[in-house]
Amino acid sequence: MRIGMFADMYKPHLSGVTNYISLYKERFEELGHEVFVLTFGETDYLDDEPNIVRSPALAWGDTGWQAGIALSEEARRLVPTLDIAHAHHPFLAGRLAVKHCKPLGIPVVFTNHTRYDIYSDAYASFVPRRVRMWGLRRYLRGFMHDVDCVIAPSPGIKQWLADFGLTRDAVLLSNAVDTHPFMHPLEPIDRAEFGFPADGIVFCYLGRVGPEKNLDVLIDAFIQVAEAEPLACLLVLGDGPGRQEAQDRISEHDLCDRAHFAGKTPYAIVPDYLAAADIFFTASVSEVHPLVIMEGMAAGLPAIGIQSPGVGDIIRDGVTGILTGGSVDEFAAAMLQLAQNAEERERMAAAAIEEAEHYDIRIMADKMLGLYTKLLDRHGVLR
């Protein structure tokens, strides 16, 4: 099977979507399929993997998003040879996938990776919300009507797609991670490297450090917990526009010796960093089915998150972690509960590892290929 992954951005940009594409690409290739990533920008980047086809684009600030409006000649020549197209962003790459593939009878699949309503609140608040929601709903509804299949990575996002008026026909197919490196890190990092005590309780956040991730709640909750629990420490893996503000807040409360901001962290060594943590936590409510929580669980970390679509579909409250409300006080109470109960952490850690195995890429890739095959059968035989 010749599979085209259409994405607005790819490596060297680091994100959950990038990791998703990379994982499926690697696994599909192991199974003998050909996978091509059709993406934009970074045309001078030296890819360390085959079949990455880039089209010219302009970078949109430091967001990682690449504004490309047309496929390159190389990409246009490739498209007719594809059996199936899988779009991962709806506005540029997804629309071009529909434009170039549909007339050729190539099925187009779209995975909804993002709560676009919440992202618009974070990055386009200068436009009246009613206007934004109207335009967003109208565009996404039209786009999802044009593709052959919409994938919802979690039950909460499937419900959001219906409630937002986009589609009630989304196929539920969970996100995936390669659990092995997280369960068996190659070079585990000792927490002493961050200046943390051996008996410290390390809370770890992994992801983009931006306003859409609710970092203010996360940082304020940690500050509150640090005052009550002298062993509480903070490890932040990732970068973004909110990093400096978060560091300043930590500094204001004289907690620099109990917090480490690692910045942009190469994905290959993330498992080594997670080995230094005790608890994974995120206050984000903009997730669809966050890979970072799955990765933390595979590393044996109980997870704390806010009850919301996506997050609430992964964390089993009281089993693999704690789901809490969105206030700083509620979040801090959940953190303190796990920080001061080693037995509960150990029980949840074991359950988290077991739960993570259900999301392993080897299982989910077979399910994705099964979906592709059904769509191809509906459209005719493979080329």
Side-chain angles (χ1 to χ4, degrees):
M1 193 182 299
R2 289 172 65 87
I3 303 162
M5 299 284 192
F6 287 74
D8 288 359
M9 74 281 281
Y10 191 58
K11 300 172 185 176
H13 177 68
L14 299 176
S15 71
V17 178
T18 297
N19 293 341
Y20 178 105
I21 296 169
S22 180
L23 278 173
Y24 273 100
K25 181 177 186 291
E26 182 178 357
R27 180 56 180 166
F28 288 159
E29 289 171 342
E30 288 175 355
L31 295 173
H33 303 282
E34 290 184 274
V35 184
F36 302 85
V37 177
L38 294 88
T39 189
F40 297 92
E42 306 287 356
T43 52
D44 57 348
Y45 178 71
L46 297 178
D47 292 294
D48 59 0
E49 58 183 303
N51 298 336
I52 310 301
V53 181
R54 297 179 181 273
S55 298
L58 293 175
W60 191 265
D62 63 353
T63 64
W65 188 61
Q66 300 287 336
I69 60 174
L71 295 180
S72 66
E73 182 178 348
E74 179 186 6
R76 291 197 301 272
R77 288 198 307 267
L78 172 64
V79 167
T81 73
L82 299 175
D83 294 308
I84 197 157
H86 193 155
H88 298 277
H89 297 101
F91 300 107
L92 298 178
R95 182 49 65 187
L96 289 171
V98 169
K99 175 183 176 180
H100 290 278
C101 296
K102 293 287 285 186
L104 299 173
I106 300 170
V108 179
V109 178
F110 168 64
T111 294
N112 190 96
H113 291 288
T114 304
R115 278 288 301 272
Y116 296 102
D117 57 336
I118 294 177
Y119 268 64
S120 79
D121 288 338
Y123 293 103
S125 59
F126 53 87
V127 178
R129 195 172 197 276
R130 178 177 292 183
V131 175
R132 279 188 284 113
M133 293 304 107
W134 176 84
L136 191 61
R137 185 178 291 109
R138 180 171 181 176
Y139 176 83
L140 290 174
R141 184 189 293 135
F143 173 73
M144 292 182 189
H145 176 268
D146 289 342
V147 302
D148 295 277
C149 177
V150 176
I151 295 175
S154 68
I157 294 307
K158 181 178 173 69
Q159 187 61 51
W160 174 76
L161 290 170
D163 292 344
F164 201 58
L166 303 180
T167 179
R168 295 187 177 277
D169 299 323
V171 174
L172 185 60
L173 196 62
S174 298
N175 282 340
V177 294
D178 184 357
T179 60
H180 187 268
F182 292 92
M183 293 179 179
H184 309 282
L186 291 176
E187 297 182 13
I189 295 176
D190 192 303
R191 62 188 62 190
E193 292 189 26
F194 312 130
F196 299 160
D199 59 349
I201 307 300
V202 181
F203 291 89
C204 180
Y205 169 80
L206 167 63
R208 177 173 164 78
V209 186
E212 76 282 2
K213 301 297 186 180
N214 229 6
L215 260 296
D216 54 341
V217 170
L218 202 73
I219 297 300
D220 287 349
F222 172 74
I223 291 169
Q224 192 176 121
V225 169
E227 293 175 351
E229 175 49 71
L231 292 177
C233 301
L234 171 67
L235 175 61
V236 176
L237 307 178
D239 208 348
R243 178 180 173 183
Q244 189 58 55
E245 182 180 350
Q247 288 179 302
D248 290 344
R249 289 282 292 143
I250 292 295
S251 179
E252 289 170 7
H253 289 265
D254 296 322
L255 292 171
C256 292
D257 60 334
R258 293 167 63 182
H260 179 80
F261 289 76
K264 188 177 293 185
T265 309
Y267 188 68
I269 63 173
V270 166
D272 299 332
Y273 274 91
L274 291 181
D278 297 288
I279 300 163
F280 185 89
F281 71 154
T282 176
S284 175
V285 294
S286 64
E287 308 299 326
V288 297
H289 206 218
L291 299 177
V292 290
I293 295 181
M294 297 178 191
E295 292 160 355
M297 289 168 57
L301 304 182
I304 299 173
I306 294 173
Q307 178 64 266
S308 57
V311 172
D313 295 309
I314 295 181
I315 299 174
R316 294 172 59 198
D317 188 35
V319 179
T320 62
I322 298 177
L323 290 170
T324 184
S327 74
V328 172
D329 288 347
E330 291 174 294
F331 203 88
M335 292 172 62
L336 201 57
Q337 177 182 332
L338 284 189
Q340 298 181 338
N341 194 326
E343 184 177 330
E344 186 174 23
R345 289 200 307 273
E346 292 174 7
R347 174 177 58 80
M348 288 183 174
I353 293 173
E354 184 177 350
E355 185 79 8
E357 291 176 344
H358 298 304
Y359 301 116
D360 188 81
I361 185 61
R362 295 155 192 81
I363 295 172
M364 300 313 301
D366 287 345
K367 293 183 178 181
M368 185 71 76
L369 289 171
L371 176 62
Y372 289 168
T373 300
K374 287 182 181 179
L375 290 172
L376 289 166
D377 287 345
R378 190 184 305 166
H379 282 73
V381 297
L382 295 179
R383 290 170 174 75

